[in-house]
């Protein structure tokens, strides 16, 4: 993203593997007291909870308990030559008239003969950037400035349809899936205001008994919004989508967000991390490309304040990001990287999946497939997708492309096709 160097002091990223300081990853299958986790029950009942708590305390922050939601359908229209029904639905964080809200843009295939599985993901440039149809309302909220698509932190008509490449609606719907997307700024505007705006401001008072330094950052707020969207998709208000078969997807900072959403909310049936990098899938201890210190300097609001203690001090972290992936086990997880996206450390993203594999195997799945996790990174454009953890390294830049989507659709065909009893 264009913002990555704006407010930085001199920072030279390291891209040289030989300069990585020796590190030891924490073992997801060893409790903090040193005892081994050797049964699925001990993982589920003890270690998983312990790790979640550690990520809340040291990395993403504690979020409030789920609030009540209510919803209001704003529009409904047949689109794509009648192939899909598109609707806009406002979901409110709370029952009061003045509760904060986010707007869901929802596509459902019209040919479906029952509730469909769906992808749910936040978008960067507004729902009106997914599709150039002028009947989608321009989002009235705060936007990071980005060329002619914005003017003084407001979106402009020029933003219509600009992100259509990242959201191949026709392809998704033709394959029998629904798509639900939300502008991330509806939940929390992406700038540092001391955690006061967005739902931080609206719901923050309900978060009590948490040290200031461990209160929720923006990634946790965005993930909280995704969980409330899932509340809606699982409710009677949304009969066309099967809320038990929702894959949460995100790119980059929103990939970090989909991982935290999937880790903290086990109702997400599948989780996709597209080029999520530092604070997402990439191992922090490698410190290749973007580092903990760098991300906390550029984006002080994404993580909790305590995460700053690990700037240039990653080995002091009680967790690393493979354990975030492990929190998603045994549910299907797909991690994707891109060859030119060195800032996000593709190898660190791959290794994270490899080191989450033992937890998946303990939980009786085939992890990354075959008998053991792969030792080598796959070649570009050679997905690993036989198991319940998928991975690919796409040729090209930091982006979410049709190639990526085709892999996710194939993976979803394997794992989300048949409905599961609730
Ligand atoms: C960059 C940031 C990355 C990634 C990216 C994005 O500036 O350094 O961690 O999140 O933004 O979200 O596009």
């Amino acid at each position: 993203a264009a913002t990555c160097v704006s407010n930085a002091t001199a920072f030279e990223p390291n891209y040289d593997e030989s300069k990585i300081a020796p590190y030891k990853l924490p073992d997801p299958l060893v409790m903090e007291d040193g005892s081994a986790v050797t049964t699925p029950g001990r993982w589920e009942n003890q270690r998983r909870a312990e790790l979640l708590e550690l990520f809340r305390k040291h990395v993403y922050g504690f979020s409030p308990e789920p609030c009540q939601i209510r919803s209001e359908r704003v529009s409904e229209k047949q689109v794509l030559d009648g192939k899909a029904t598109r609707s806009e639905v406002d979901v409110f964080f709370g029952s009061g008239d003045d509760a904060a809200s986010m707007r869901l843009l929802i596509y459902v295939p019209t040919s479906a003969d029952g509730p469909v599985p769906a992808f749910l993901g936040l978008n960067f440039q507004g729902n009106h950037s997914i599709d150039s149809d002028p009947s989608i309302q321009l989002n009235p909220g705060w936007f990071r400035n980005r060329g002619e698509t914005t003017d003084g932190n407001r979106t402009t008509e020029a933003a219509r349809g600009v992100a259509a490449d990242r959201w191949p609606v026709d392809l998704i719907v033709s394959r029998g899936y629904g798509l639900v997307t939300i502008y991330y700024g509806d939940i929390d505007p992406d700038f540092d205001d001391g955690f006061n705006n967005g739902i931080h401001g609206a719901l923050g008072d309900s978060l009590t008994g948490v040290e200031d330094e461990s209160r929720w950052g923006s990634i946790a707020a965005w993930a909280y919004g995704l969980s409330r969207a899932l509340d809606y998709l699982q409710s009677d208000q949304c009969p066309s989508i099967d809320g038990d078969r929702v894959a949460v997807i995100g790119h980059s900072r929103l990939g970090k967000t989909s991982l935290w959403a999937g880790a903290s909310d086990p109702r997400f049936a599948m989780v996709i991390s597209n080029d999520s990098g530092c604070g997402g899938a990439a191992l922090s201890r490698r410190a290749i490309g973007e580092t903990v210190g760098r991300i906390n300097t550029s984006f002080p609001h994404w993580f909790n304040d305590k995460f700053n203690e690990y700037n240039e001090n990653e080995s002091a972290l009680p967790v690393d990001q493979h354990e975030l992936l492990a929190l998603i086990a045994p549910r299907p997880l797909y991690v994707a990287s891109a060859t030119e996206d060195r800032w996000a450390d593709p190898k660190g993203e791959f290794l994270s999946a490899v080191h989450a594999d033992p937890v998946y195997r303990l939980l009786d799945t085939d992890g990354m497939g075959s008998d053991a996790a792969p030792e080598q990174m796959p070649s570009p454009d050679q997905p690993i997708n036989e198991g319940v953890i998928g991975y690919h390294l796409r040729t090209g830049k930091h982006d979410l492309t049709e190639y990526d989507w085709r892999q996710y659709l194939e993976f979803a065909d394997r794992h989300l096709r048949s409905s599961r009893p609730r």
Side-chain angles (χ1 to χ4, degrees), residues 1 3-4 124 252-253 256 290 295 299 302 343 398:
T3 47
C4 65
F124 283 89
S252 204
R253 71 197 67 179
K256 309 179 206 300
E290 188 171 33
I295 205 167
F299 304 103
W302 284 1
W343 183 242
H398 184 69

Side-chain angles (χ1 to χ4, degrees), residues 115-279:
V116 291
F119 293 89
L120 166 65
L122 301 178
N123 66 69
F124 283 89
Q125 289 183 271
N127 293 349
H128 56 280
S129 71
I130 307 309
D131 182 329
S132 55
D133 183 341
S135 68
I136 300 178
Q137 198 200 39
L138 283 190
N139 188 296
W142 186 94
F143 282 72
R144 290 182 89 90
N145 283 331
R146 191 188 290 236
E148 60 165 16
T149 66
T150 49
D151 182 10
N153 297 113
R154 301 287 153 198
T155 191
T156 66
E157 286 289 332
R160 291 198 178 282
V162 288
D165 299 1
R166 284 191 177 174
W167 302 93
V169 181
D170 201 335
L171 173 68
I172 295 166
V173 163
S174 304
R175 295 277 293 259
Y177 293 88
L179 173 67
V180 183
T181 184
I182 306 160
Y183 172 53
Y184 78 137
D186 280 0
I187 304 165
D188 189 29
D190 190 3
F191 66 93
D192 181 21
D193 79 329
F195 300 146
N196 286 318
N197 59 13
I199 61 172
H200 282 120
L203 303 174
D205 289 349
S206 67
L207 180 62
T208 52
V210 174
E211 302 272 350
D212 276 358
E213 61 180 12
S214 289
R215 292 174 74 88
W216 51 340
S218 290
I219 291 172
W222 297 324
Y224 183 94
L226 286 166
S227 285
R228 301 294 71 75
L230 186 59
D231 293 347
Y232 167 74
L233 299 176
Q234 291 195 335
S235 76
D236 297 343
Q237 305 300 304
C238 185
S240 55
I241 287 176
D242 180 351
D244 288 339
R245 289 186 293 155
V246 173
V248 62
I249 179 171
H251 169 62
S252 204
R253 71 197 67 179
L254 300 178
K256 309 179 206 300
T257 303
S258 65
L259 287 171
W260 181 237
S264 56
D265 188 341
R267 299 173 304 160
F268 287 109
M270 175 171 149
V271 182
I272 303 165
S273 153
N274 194 85
D275 304 0
S276 62
C278 180

Side-chain angles (χ1 to χ4, degrees), residues 103-123:
R103 179 160 293 183
L104 280 54
L105 182 69
I106 303 176
Y107 295 84
V108 175
T110 37
S111 60
D113 57 3
V116 291
F119 293 89
L120 166 65
L122 301 178
N123 66 69

Side-chain angles (χ1 to χ4, degrees), residues 23-24 43 200 402:
Y23 64 83
K24 190 170 177 306
W43 168 266
H200 282 120
E402 186 176 321

